[in-house]
Amino acid sequence: MFSSRLLRRSFIASAKRYNSSIAGLDASKVKVTKSDILKPLVANKDLVFGHTFTDHMISADWNEKEGWMAPEIKPYGSLALAPSAVVFHYASECFEGLKAYKDKKGNVRLFRPDMNMARMNRSTARIALPQFDGKELIKLIGDYIKLDERWIPSERGYSLYLRPTMIGTQEALGVNPPSNAKLFVIGCPVGPYYKTGFAAVKLKATTEFVRAWPRGTGDAKIGGNYAPGLLPQRLAAKEGYQQNLWLFGDEHQLTEVGTMNLFVLWKNESNELELVTPPLDGSILPGVTRDSILSLAKQWGEFKVSERKLTMPQLKEAVKSGRVQEMFGAGTACIVSPIKAIEYLGEELAIPLDPSNPESQAGPYTKRFNDAIMDIQYGDVESPWSVVV
Amino acid sequence: MFSSRLLRRSFIASAKRYNSSIAGLDASKVKVTKSDILKPLVANKDLVFGHTFTDHMISADWNEKEGWMAPEIKPYGSLALAPSAVVFHYASECFEGLKAYKDKKGNVRLFRPDMNMARMNRSTARIALPQFDGKELIKLIGDYIKLDERWIPSERGYSLYLRPTMIGTQEALGVNPPSNAKLFVIGCPVGPYYKTGFAAVKLKATTEFVRAWPRGTGDAKIGGNYAPGLLPQRLAAKEGYQQNLWLFGDEHQLTEVGTMNLFVLWKNESNELELVTPPLDGSILPGVTRDSILSLAKQWGEFKVSERKLTMPQLKEAVKSGRVQEMFGAGTACIVSPIKAIEYLGEELAIPLDPSNPESQAGPYTKRFNDAIMDIQYGDVESPWSVVV
């Protein structure tokens, strides 16, 4: 595959910088400075996604001569960076999103954190930021969330959203791989994405903007993939659509929904029940929730499961002939987000939710995927995906 | 045109936020705080591009409720930003590059600053950052560079590089147009891009990575366009090539060189002498130097001047048949950067420099464009492009 070959080359390039004389990220060297003043907790009902932060954060600096300095867990606070720092100019930045959950026994759990670590190292490689040992960052996250444990809600549907981030901090305006970088992790308690159960969204299938393309960066979780989506999102919102459905190419292939992966459950051209999601061709973000849904669906064995190309004309025909059963977006923030309509070239296509319950905002399989994943995340169902820290 | 129509829509969207109750950027409200300690100047010969900064900077904050706060000119120093600030996560950032020159009479001059202001407002519109009045920012830049005038070198070839930057500062992790932003300008004295006159570069025509795509953001000077170029640049450097030549599409269209626009002077298919640069189709950065070279070439009237598509197979055939006379990149940092070779699919194509002088690192027209633009920048030739501040 094209992208894996190149990433291998870039890993080698990174590894060469990682020679024996420079230090790897080492959780055992962590320096912990506790905050003198602890902030008041925010009631679960008052939480707004991404607005409330815990008392502490993880921070670790890197430079190309010495490697990773001893990491710190320290009071949550501002970063002081020179205005020439490359992160402000060339989007030298990438991130991850994962959640910590409290189970009924009071254990703190992470959901497939190894996948986030691996993806983050692919993201850093793609923009010439340094590699790090993901196991060490998971240890640091464990230390951090135990220190800030009072911020992890115990009510089902609530969790502590974690945001590992790496930025280039070199103080120079030349366009070059940064000689200095900072890794940090912040955490915010969050509730269910939709306060009153599911709220199905309407999408605008966007033909005027393109999110990603072959041999670009659509499969990396880098900052630069996000800012360009804000204007299309604002224009869609003005027309009453909550998210963009990103298309690609002259055939209008479906790719992603806003910042989520996309799933279609339909009766396919051969009248088989099939769950389809676009393939990881280098322009699709390889979502952890996406992978989990594919795995669960294959375990269930109740319908065909396919990673394959699907175009808007194909989807439109299927909607019109009543073959589409459910559609949803999938991502860490919401798990699944049911879709009830898609505007495409001036026409609004109605996507079914739950035919047995006109009040419902999600189809039966959409709900089932959501519940199955939550059962694992909260430790109600044992699974190697859920890691007690 | 596709992109101008969309930008018009986005300007309207921005203008709506700009209602009468919120303030525009107003240079007359500037608050000036002088630095107590002035840094020692750096000798011209010791300047490295983008490493030395002056004593002061411009800073202005914006929020969606009140608009632009009173701008400040204040000591150069760190920005303190919450780790949740959107600039660190979603590449909510765009910038400009322009230079201030000192002429023989001691006047301080800017080169076509109106073009930078207009482009910056197109960049901010594309990523849902606020608009500002470019004339007001030019006034502020005038105040700032007069205060830091001792940093503007008077030797020809030296100048003060200015970096206007806008970043989203909202402290929230939701992927939404930012409610808060910061505009800042920093300046650094710089020398000629190549210390010893021109140094022609070797390019790698890159087929494994794609810089930009139609309906993407290739024509906006946003941070997200830069980080993805670092890995290809590093891989090219390992093979001995200083810059990437970005190609597009199955026909391998030439688009840009590293962070510069591209020019080819050749005998075309009809044996006419022709200067060609790729057209502004939405995926090319509309460079100020690019525009200046096209204008000068049209004034000279000595050869055909075309903005048109050119493919690598066409170029390769022209090189092999001896029709290519000169090639160069063009940008604010270097003015022009002569090209002496291009690696394409395993073959190195030699591009002529100056046939009359084997020692020369630039062809005669390349040098002439460089000199003509410098004459205007330093006020040796009067032109409306050079603005005394």
Side-chain angles (χ1 to χ4, degrees):
Chain A
M1 286 292 295
F2 154 77
S3 57
S4 61
R5 179 167 53 86
L6 271 176
L7 280 171
R8 205 157 49 235
R9 280 169 64 183
S10 71
F11 280 134
I12 293 164
S14 298
K16 282 186 182 160
R17 310 182 90 186
Y18 237 161
N19 61 51
S20 56
S21 68
I22 76 167
L25 183 68
D26 183 348
S28 73
K29 291 188 182 157
V30 67
K31 181 188 162 200
V32 179
T33 308
K34 290 189 187 174
S35 182
D36 291 332
I37 301 160
L38 300 182
K39 293 182 274 196
L41 292 178
V42 174
N44 281 353
K45 68 176 176 51
D46 297 327
L47 293 172
V48 176
F49 183 85
H51 276 74
T52 303
F53 296 89
T54 70
D55 293 305
H56 299 90
M57 64 187 288
I58 300 170
S59 177
D61 288 321
W62 175 90
N63 69 72
E64 65 181 355
K65 285 193 183 141
E66 302 164 287
W68 286 104
M69 304 290 97
E72 287 187 79
I73 295 175
K74 61 183 189 181
Y76 179 92
S78 291
L79 309 181
L81 293 171
S84 60
V86 293
V87 65
F88 296 129
H89 303 272
Y90 308 129
S92 180
E93 57 189 69
C94 61
F95 68 94
E96 280 298 320
L98 71 165
K99 287 174 173 172
Y101 309 85
K102 203 171 270 180
D103 71 17
K104 286 179 181 134
K105 295 174 188 158
N107 296 316
V108 175
R109 293 170 174 270
L110 296 172
F111 183 71
R112 310 188 76 184
D114 54 319
M115 289 198 74
N116 296 97
M117 298 299 115
R119 186 172 63 185
M120 191 160 179
N121 270 317
R122 291 197 303 273
S123 299
T124 64
R126 183 59 188 85
I127 55 172
L129 282 171
Q131 300 288 289
F132 62 93
D133 183 334
K135 289 197 183 73
E136 296 298 308
L137 185 55
I138 293 174
K139 280 186 213 164
L140 286 167
I141 288 174
D143 292 347
Y144 159 54
I145 60 182
K146 275 178 249 172
L147 181 62
D148 274 347
E149 191 174 339
R150 70 191 189 96
W151 288 96
I152 310 175
S154 40
E155 189 179 338
R156 183 163 163 133
Y158 292 81
S159 58
L160 184 70
Y161 179 85
L162 296 163
R163 172 57 63 91
T165 310
M166 197 189 295
I167 60 176
T169 54
Q170 184 175 13
E171 299 178 7
L173 297 183
V175 180
N176 293 303
S179 60
N180 295 71
K182 184 187 284 291
L183 171 66
F184 64 85
V185 183
I186 54 179
C188 41
V190 297
Y193 209 72
Y194 305 108
K195 294 258 167 195
T196 52
F198 289 112
V201 295
K202 294 169 77 169
L203 309 182
K204 181 173 174 66
T206 301
T207 54
E208 291 177 327
F209 298 94
V210 172
R211 174 190 172 272
W213 49 86
R215 305 179 184 222
T217 60
D219 56 351
K221 209 162 172 69
I222 60 175
N225 284 344
Y226 292 81
L230 298 175
L231 173 63
Q233 183 183 319
R234 180 187 279 169
L235 295 171
K238 279 181 193 291
E239 298 176 29
Y241 298 95
Q242 288 93 336
Q243 298 278 342
N244 300 90
L245 171 55
W246 301 108
L247 306 180
F248 179 73
D250 294 338
E251 293 179 287
H252 288 167
Q253 279 174 247
L254 286 78
T255 66
E256 294 193 22
V257 176
T259 61
M260 298 180 288
N261 291 119
L262 173 72
F263 285 86
V264 181
L265 183 73
W266 72 344
K267 287 271 176 66
N268 67 17
E269 302 87 342
S270 313
N271 210 35
E272 302 163 301
L273 188 60
E274 182 186 32
L275 182 72
V276 181
T277 195
L280 300 182
D281 63 358
S283 60
I284 302 277
L285 190 82
V288 178
T289 309
R290 175 187 181 281
D291 184 84
S292 306
I293 287 169
L294 288 172
S295 294
L296 287 172
K298 286 171 192 166
Q299 278 173 34
W300 296 348
E302 297 174 24
F303 39 75
K304 191 172 175 182
V305 180
S306 302
E307 297 176 70
R308 68 171 171 108
K309 202 173 101 171
L310 183 64
T311 68
M312 274 309 297
Q314 289 173 319
L315 181 74
K316 180 175 161 177
E317 198 281 314
V319 169
K320 299 218 164 191
S321 59
R323 292 192 285 112
V324 173
Q325 297 200 352
E326 301 180 31
M327 284 185 69
F328 54 93
T332 292
C334 64
I335 308 178
V336 298
S337 179
I339 295 163
K340 65 181 174 190
I342 299 173
E343 193 271 359
Y344 176 59
L345 299 178
E347 183 179 4
E348 191 169 294
L349 306 172
I351 309 298
L353 294 169
D354 186 348
S356 71
N357 176 6
E359 302 295 302
S360 176
Q361 288 285 300
Y365 278 111
T366 303
K367 277 186 275 196
R368 189 169 154 198
F369 280 119
N370 188 72
D371 292 344
I373 290 175
M374 277 180 78
D375 283 347
I376 295 170
Q377 288 172 334
Y378 287 90
D380 294 338
V381 169
E382 270 306 319
S383 160
W385 287 350
S386 183
V387 180
V388 175
V389 295
Chain B
M1 286 289 296
F2 154 77
S3 56
S4 60
R5 180 166 53 86
L6 272 176
L7 280 171
R8 208 156 49 236
R9 282 170 64 183
S10 71
F11 280 135
I12 294 164
S14 297
K16 283 186 182 160
R17 310 182 90 186
Y18 237 161
N19 61 51
S20 56
S21 68
I22 76 166
L25 184 68
D26 183 349
S28 73
K29 291 187 181 157
V30 67
K31 182 188 162 201
V32 179
T33 309
K34 291 190 186 174
S35 183
D36 292 332
I37 301 161
L38 299 183
K39 293 182 274 196
L41 292 177
V42 174
N44 281 353
K45 68 175 176 50
D46 297 327
L47 292 171
V48 176
F49 183 85
H51 276 73
T52 303
F53 296 90
T54 71
D55 293 306
H56 298 90
M57 64 187 288
I58 301 171
S59 177
D61 289 321
W62 173 91
N63 69 71
E64 64 182 354
K65 286 194 182 137
E66 301 163 286
W68 287 103
M69 304 291 97
E72 287 187 80
I73 294 175
K74 62 182 189 181
Y76 179 91
S78 290
L79 309 181
L81 293 170
S84 60
V86 292
V87 66
F88 296 128
H89 304 272
Y90 308 128
S92 180
E93 57 190 68
C94 61
F95 68 94
E96 279 299 320
L98 71 165
K99 287 174 172 172
Y101 309 86
K102 202 170 271 180
D103 70 19
K104 286 178 180 136
K105 294 175 190 158
N107 295 316
V108 175
R109 293 171 174 270
L110 296 172
F111 184 72
R112 310 188 75 184
D114 53 319
M115 289 198 75
N116 296 97
M117 299 299 115
R119 186 171 64 184
M120 190 161 181
N121 270 317
R122 292 196 304 273
S123 298
T124 65
R126 183 60 187 85
I127 55 171
L129 281 172
Q131 300 288 289
F132 62 92
D133 183 334
K135 289 196 182 71
E136 297 298 310
L137 185 55
I138 293 174
K139 280 186 212 165
L140 286 166
I141 288 173
D143 292 347
Y144 159 54
I145 60 183
K146 276 178 249 173
L147 181 63
D148 273 348
E149 191 174 338
R150 71 192 188 96
W151 288 97
I152 310 176
S154 39
E155 189 178 338
R156 183 161 163 136
Y158 292 82
S159 58
L160 183 70
Y161 179 84
L162 296 163
R163 172 57 62 93
T165 310
M166 197 188 296
I167 60 176
T169 55
Q170 184 174 15
E171 299 178 7
L173 297 182
V175 181
N176 292 302
S179 60
N180 295 71
K182 183 187 285 292
L183 171 66
F184 64 85
V185 183
I186 55 179
C188 40
V190 296
Y193 208 72
Y194 304 107
K195 294 259 167 193
T196 51
F198 288 112
V201 295
K202 293 170 77 170
L203 309 182
K204 182 174 174 65
T206 301
T207 54
E208 291 176 327
F209 297 94
V210 174
R211 174 189 171 272
W213 199 267
R215 306 180 181 220
T217 59
D219 57 350
K221 209 162 173 70
I222 61 175
N225 284 343
Y226 292 83
L230 298 175
L231 173 63
Q233 184 183 319
R234 180 186 280 169
L235 296 171
K238 278 180 194 293
E239 298 176 27
Y241 299 94
Q242 288 93 335
Q243 298 278 343
N244 300 90
L245 171 56
W246 301 110
L247 306 180
F248 177 73
D250 294 338
E251 294 180 286
H252 288 168
Q253 277 174 250
L254 286 77
T255 65
E256 294 193 22
V257 176
T259 62
M260 299 180 288
N261 292 119
L262 172 72
F263 286 86
V264 181
L265 183 74
W266 71 346
K267 286 270 176 63
N268 67 16
E269 302 86 342
S270 312
N271 211 36
E272 302 164 300
L273 187 60
E274 182 186 30
L275 182 72
V276 182
T277 194
L280 300 181
D281 64 357
S283 61
I284 303 277
L285 191 82
V288 178
T289 309
R290 175 187 181 282
D291 184 85
S292 305
I293 286 169
L294 289 173
S295 294
L296 287 172
K298 285 172 194 166
Q299 279 172 33
W300 296 348
E302 298 174 24
F303 41 74
K304 191 171 175 182
V305 180
S306 302
E307 296 176 71
R308 68 173 172 106
K309 202 174 102 172
L310 182 64
T311 69
M312 274 310 296
Q314 288 174 319
L315 182 73
K316 180 175 161 178
E317 198 280 316
V319 168
K320 299 219 163 191
S321 59
R323 292 190 284 112
V324 172
Q325 298 200 352
E326 302 180 29
M327 284 186 68
F328 56 92
T332 292
C334 63
I335 308 179
V336 298
S337 179
I339 296 163
K340 64 180 174 189
I342 300 173
E343 193 270 359
Y344 175 59
L345 299 178
E347 183 179 5
E348 191 170 292
L349 307 173
I351 309 298
L353 294 169
D354 186 348
S356 70
N357 175 5
E359 302 295 303
S360 176
Q361 287 285 301
Y365 278 112
T366 303
K367 276 187 275 196
R368 186 167 157 201
F369 279 119
N370 188 71
D371 293 344
I373 290 176
M374 276 180 80
D375 283 347
I376 294 170
Q377 288 171 336
Y378 287 91
D380 294 337
V381 168
E382 270 306 318
S383 160
W385 286 351
S386 183
V387 180
V388 175
V389 294

Coordinates of all heavy atoms in Angstrom, one line a residue, chain B residues 322-372:
Chain B
G322 N 16.0 20.8 -25.7 CA 16.7 22.0 -25.5 C 15.9 23.3 -25.6 O 16.4 24.4 -25.8
R323 N 14.5 23.1 -25.3 CA 13.7 24.3 -25.4 C 13.5 25.1 -24.1 O 13.0 26.2 -24.1 CB 12.3 23.9 -25.9 CG 12.3 23.4 -27.4 CD 10.9 23.3 -28.0 NE 10.2 22.1 -27.5 CZ 9.2 22.1 -26.7 NH1 8.7 23.2 -26.2 NH2 8.6 20.9 -26.3
V324 N 13.9 24.5 -23.0 CA 13.8 25.1 -21.7 C 15.0 26.0 -21.5 O 16.2 25.6 -21.6 CB 13.7 24.1 -20.5 CG1 13.7 24.9 -19.2 CG2 12.4 23.4 -20.7
Q325 N 14.8 27.3 -21.2 CA 15.9 28.3 -21.1 C 16.2 28.5 -19.6 O 17.3 28.6 -19.2 CB 15.6 29.6 -21.8 CG 15.4 29.4 -23.3 CD 15.5 30.7 -24.1 OE1 15.6 31.8 -23.5 NE2 15.6 30.6 -25.4
E326 N 15.2 28.8 -18.8 CA 15.4 29.1 -17.4 C 14.2 28.6 -16.6 O 13.0 28.6 -17.1 CB 15.6 30.6 -17.1 CG 16.7 31.2 -17.9 CD 16.9 32.7 -17.6 OE1 16.5 33.1 -16.5 OE2 17.3 33.4 -18.5
M327 N 14.4 28.2 -15.4 CA 13.3 27.9 -14.4 C 13.6 28.5 -13.1 O 14.8 28.5 -12.7 CB 13.0 26.4 -14.3 CG 12.3 25.8 -15.5 SD 11.9 24.0 -15.1 CE 10.7 24.1 -13.9
F328 N 12.6 29.0 -12.4 CA 12.8 29.6 -11.1 C 11.6 29.5 -10.2 O 10.5 29.5 -10.7 CB 13.4 31.0 -11.1 CG 12.6 32.0 -11.9 CD1 11.6 32.8 -11.2 CD2 12.7 32.2 -13.3 CE1 10.9 33.7 -11.9 CE2 12.0 33.1 -14.0 CZ 11.0 33.9 -13.3
G329 N 11.8 29.5 -8.9 CA 10.7 29.7 -7.9 C 10.6 31.1 -7.6 O 11.6 31.9 -7.8
A330 N 9.5 31.6 -7.1 CA 9.3 33.0 -6.7 C 8.6 33.1 -5.5 O 7.5 32.5 -5.3 CB 8.6 33.8 -7.9
G331 N 9.1 34.0 -4.5 CA 8.4 34.2 -3.3 C 9.0 35.4 -2.5 O 10.1 35.9 -2.9
T332 N 8.4 35.8 -1.5 CA 8.8 37.0 -0.8 C 10.2 36.8 -0.1 O 11.1 37.7 -0.2 CB 7.8 37.4 0.3 OG1 6.6 37.8 -0.3 CG2 8.3 38.5 1.2
A333 N 10.5 35.6 0.4 CA 11.7 35.4 1.1 C 12.9 35.5 0.2 O 13.9 36.1 0.6 CB 11.7 34.0 1.8
C334 N 12.9 35.0 -1.0 CA 14.1 34.9 -1.9 C 13.9 35.8 -3.1 O 14.9 35.9 -3.9 CB 14.3 33.5 -2.3 SG 12.9 32.9 -3.3
I335 N 12.7 36.4 -3.4 CA 12.3 37.0 -4.6 C 12.3 35.9 -5.7 O 11.3 35.3 -6.0 CB 13.2 38.2 -5.1 CG1 13.3 39.2 -3.9 CG2 12.6 38.8 -6.3 CD1 14.2 40.4 -4.3
V336 N 13.5 35.5 -6.3 CA 13.5 34.4 -7.2 C 14.6 33.4 -6.7 O 15.6 33.7 -6.1 CB 13.8 34.8 -8.7 CG1 12.7 35.7 -9.2 CG2 15.2 35.4 -8.8
S337 N 14.3 32.1 -7.0 CA 15.2 31.0 -6.7 C 15.5 30.2 -7.9 O 14.6 29.4 -8.3 CB 14.6 30.2 -5.5 OG 15.4 29.2 -5.2
P338 N 16.6 30.3 -8.5 CA 16.9 29.6 -9.8 C 16.9 28.1 -9.6 O 17.3 27.6 -8.5 CB 18.3 30.1 -10.3 CG 18.9 30.9 -9.1 CD 17.8 31.2 -8.2
I339 N 16.5 27.4 -10.6 CA 16.4 25.9 -10.5 C 17.4 25.3 -11.5 O 17.4 25.7 -12.7 CB 15.0 25.5 -10.9 CG1 14.0 26.0 -9.8 CG2 14.9 23.9 -11.0 CD1 12.5 26.0 -10.2
K340 N 18.2 24.4 -11.1 CA 19.2 23.8 -12.0 C 19.0 22.3 -12.4 O 19.6 21.8 -13.3 CB 20.6 24.0 -11.4 CG 20.9 23.2 -10.1 CD 22.3 23.4 -9.7 CE 22.6 22.8 -8.3 NZ 23.9 23.2 -7.8
A341 N 18.1 21.7 -11.6 CA 17.8 20.3 -12.0 C 16.5 19.9 -11.3 O 16.1 20.4 -10.3 CB 18.9 19.4 -11.4
I342 N 15.8 18.9 -12.0 CA 14.6 18.3 -11.5 C 14.7 16.8 -11.6 O 14.9 16.3 -12.7 CB 13.4 18.8 -12.3 CG1 13.2 20.3 -12.2 CG2 12.1 18.2 -11.8 CD1 12.2 20.9 -13.0
E343 N 14.5 16.1 -10.5 CA 14.4 14.7 -10.5 C 13.0 14.3 -10.7 O 12.1 14.8 -10.0 CB 14.9 14.1 -9.2 CG 15.2 12.6 -9.2 CD 14.0 11.7 -8.9 OE1 12.9 12.2 -8.5 OE2 14.1 10.5 -8.9
Y344 N 12.7 13.5 -11.8 CA 11.3 13.1 -12.1 C 11.3 11.6 -12.4 O 12.0 11.2 -13.4 CB 10.8 13.9 -13.2 CG 9.4 13.5 -13.7 CD1 8.3 13.5 -12.9 CD2 9.2 13.1 -15.1 CE1 7.1 13.1 -13.3 CE2 8.0 12.7 -15.5 CZ 6.9 12.7 -14.7 OH 5.6 12.4 -15.1
L345 N 10.6 10.8 -11.6 CA 10.5 9.4 -11.9 C 11.8 8.7 -12.1 O 12.0 7.9 -13.0 CB 9.5 9.1 -13.0 CG 8.1 9.6 -12.9 CD1 7.3 9.3 -14.1 CD2 7.4 9.0 -11.6
G346 N 12.8 9.1 -11.3 CA 14.1 8.4 -11.3 C 15.1 9.0 -12.3 O 16.3 8.5 -12.3
E347 N 14.7 10.0 -13.0 CA 15.6 10.6 -14.0 C 15.9 12.1 -13.6 O 15.0 12.8 -13.2 CB 15.0 10.6 -15.3 CG 15.9 11.1 -16.5 CD 15.2 11.0 -17.8 OE1 14.0 10.6 -17.9 OE2 15.8 11.4 -18.8
E348 N 17.1 12.5 -13.7 CA 17.4 13.9 -13.3 C 17.5 14.7 -14.6 O 18.3 14.5 -15.5 CB 18.7 14.0 -12.5 CG 18.9 15.4 -11.9 CD 20.0 15.5 -10.9 OE1 19.9 14.9 -9.8 OE2 21.0 16.2 -11.2
L349 N 16.6 15.7 -14.7 CA 16.6 16.6 -15.9 C 17.4 17.9 -15.5 O 17.2 18.5 -14.5 CB 15.2 17.1 -16.2 CG 14.1 15.9 -16.3 CD1 12.7 16.5 -16.5 CD2 14.5 15.1 -17.6
A350 N 18.4 18.2 -16.4 CA 19.2 19.4 -16.1 C 18.5 20.6 -16.7 O 18.2 20.6 -17.9 CB 20.6 19.2 -16.8
I351 N 18.4 21.6 -15.9 CA 17.8 22.9 -16.4 C 18.9 23.9 -16.6 O 19.7 24.1 -15.7 CB 16.8 23.4 -15.3 CG1 15.8 22.3 -14.9 CG2 16.1 24.7 -15.8 CD1 14.9 21.8 -16.0
P352 N 18.9 24.6 -17.7 CA 20.0 25.5 -17.9 C 20.0 26.7 -17.0 O 18.9 27.1 -16.5 CB 19.8 26.0 -19.4 CG 18.8 25.1 -20.0 CD 18.0 24.5 -18.8
L353 N 21.2 27.2 -16.6 CA 21.3 28.4 -15.9 C 21.7 29.5 -16.9 O 20.9 29.9 -17.7 CB 22.3 28.3 -14.7 CG 21.8 27.3 -13.6 CD1 22.9 26.9 -12.7 CD2 20.6 27.8 -12.9
D354 N 22.9 30.0 -16.8 CA 23.3 31.0 -17.8 C 24.4 30.4 -18.8 O 25.5 30.2 -18.4 CB 24.0 32.2 -17.0 CG 24.3 33.4 -17.9 OD1 24.2 33.2 -19.1 OD2 24.5 34.5 -17.3
P355 N 23.9 30.2 -20.0 CA 24.8 29.5 -20.9 C 26.1 30.4 -21.2 O 27.2 29.8 -21.5 CB 24.0 29.4 -22.2 CG 22.6 29.8 -21.8 CD 22.7 30.6 -20.6
S356 N 26.0 31.7 -21.0 CA 27.2 32.5 -21.3 C 28.2 32.6 -20.2 O 29.3 33.1 -20.3 CB 26.7 34.0 -21.6 OG 26.2 34.6 -20.4
N357 N 27.8 32.0 -19.0 CA 28.7 32.1 -17.9 C 28.5 30.8 -17.0 O 27.6 30.7 -16.2 CB 28.4 33.3 -17.0 CG 29.2 33.4 -15.8 OD1 30.1 32.5 -15.5 ND2 28.9 34.3 -14.9
P358 N 29.4 29.8 -17.2 CA 29.3 28.5 -16.5 C 29.3 28.7 -15.0 O 28.9 27.8 -14.3 CB 30.5 27.7 -17.1 CG 31.0 28.5 -18.2 CD 30.6 29.9 -18.1
E359 N 29.9 29.8 -14.5 CA 30.0 30.0 -13.1 C 28.7 30.5 -12.5 O 28.4 30.4 -11.3 CB 31.1 31.0 -12.7 CG 32.5 30.7 -13.2 CD 33.0 29.5 -12.6 OE1 33.1 29.4 -11.3 OE2 33.3 28.5 -13.3
S360 N 27.8 31.0 -13.3 CA 26.6 31.7 -12.8 C 25.6 30.7 -12.3 O 25.5 29.6 -12.8 CB 26.0 32.5 -13.9 OG 24.8 33.0 -13.4
Q361 N 24.9 31.1 -11.2 CA 23.9 30.3 -10.6 C 22.5 30.7 -11.0 O 21.5 30.2 -10.4 CB 24.0 30.3 -9.1 CG 25.2 29.5 -8.6 CD 25.0 28.0 -8.6 OE1 24.1 27.5 -8.0 NE2 25.9 27.3 -9.4
A362 N 22.4 31.6 -11.9 CA 21.0 32.1 -12.4 C 21.1 32.5 -13.8 O 22.1 33.1 -14.2 CB 20.5 33.2 -11.5
G363 N 20.0 32.3 -14.5 CA 19.9 32.7 -15.9 C 19.7 34.2 -16.0 O 19.3 34.8 -15.0
P364 N 19.9 34.8 -17.2 CA 19.8 36.2 -17.3 C 18.4 36.8 -17.0 O 18.4 37.9 -16.3 CB 20.2 36.5 -18.8 CG 20.2 35.1 -19.5 CD 20.4 34.1 -18.4
Y365 N 17.4 36.2 -17.4 CA 16.0 36.7 -17.1 C 15.7 36.5 -15.6 O 15.1 37.4 -15.0 CB 15.0 36.1 -18.0 CG 14.9 36.7 -19.3 CD1 15.2 36.0 -20.5 CD2 14.4 38.0 -19.4 CE1 15.1 36.6 -21.7 CE2 14.3 38.6 -20.7 CZ 14.7 37.9 -21.8 OH 14.6 38.5 -23.1
T366 N 16.2 35.4 -15.0 CA 16.0 35.2 -13.6 C 16.6 36.3 -12.8 O 16.0 36.9 -11.9 CB 16.6 33.8 -13.2 OG1 16.0 32.8 -14.0 CG2 16.4 33.5 -11.7
K367 N 17.9 36.7 -13.2 CA 18.5 37.8 -12.5 C 17.8 39.1 -12.8 O 17.7 39.9 -11.9 CB 20.0 37.8 -13.0 CG 20.9 36.9 -12.3 CD 22.4 37.1 -12.7 CE 22.7 36.3 -14.0 NZ 24.1 36.1 -14.2
R368 N 17.4 39.3 -14.0 CA 16.7 40.5 -14.3 C 15.4 40.7 -13.5 O 15.2 41.8 -13.1 CB 16.5 40.6 -15.9 CG 16.0 41.9 -16.3 CD 16.1 41.9 -17.9 NE 15.1 42.9 -18.4 CZ 14.7 42.9 -19.6 NH1 15.1 42.0 -20.5 NH2 13.8 43.9 -20.0
F369 N 14.7 39.7 -13.4 CA 13.4 39.8 -12.6 C 13.8 40.2 -11.1 O 13.2 41.1 -10.5 CB 12.6 38.5 -12.6 CG 11.8 38.3 -13.8 CD1 12.0 37.2 -14.6 CD2 10.8 39.2 -14.1 CE1 11.2 37.0 -15.7 CE2 10.0 39.0 -15.2 CZ 10.2 37.9 -16.0
N370 N 14.8 39.5 -10.6 CA 15.3 39.8 -9.2 C 15.7 41.2 -9.1 O 15.3 41.9 -8.2 CB 16.4 38.8 -8.9 CG 16.8 38.9 -7.5 OD1 16.1 38.4 -6.6 ND2 18.0 39.5 -7.2
D371 N 16.5 41.7 -10.0 CA 17.0 43.1 -9.9 C 15.9 44.1 -10.1 O 15.9 45.1 -9.3 CB 18.1 43.3 -10.9 CG 19.4 42.4 -10.7 OD1 19.5 41.9 -9.5 OD2 20.2 42.3 -11.6
A372 N 15.0 43.8 -11.0 CA 13.9 44.8 -11.3 C 13.1 44.9 -10.0 O 12.6 46.0 -9.6 CB 13.1 44.4 -12.5

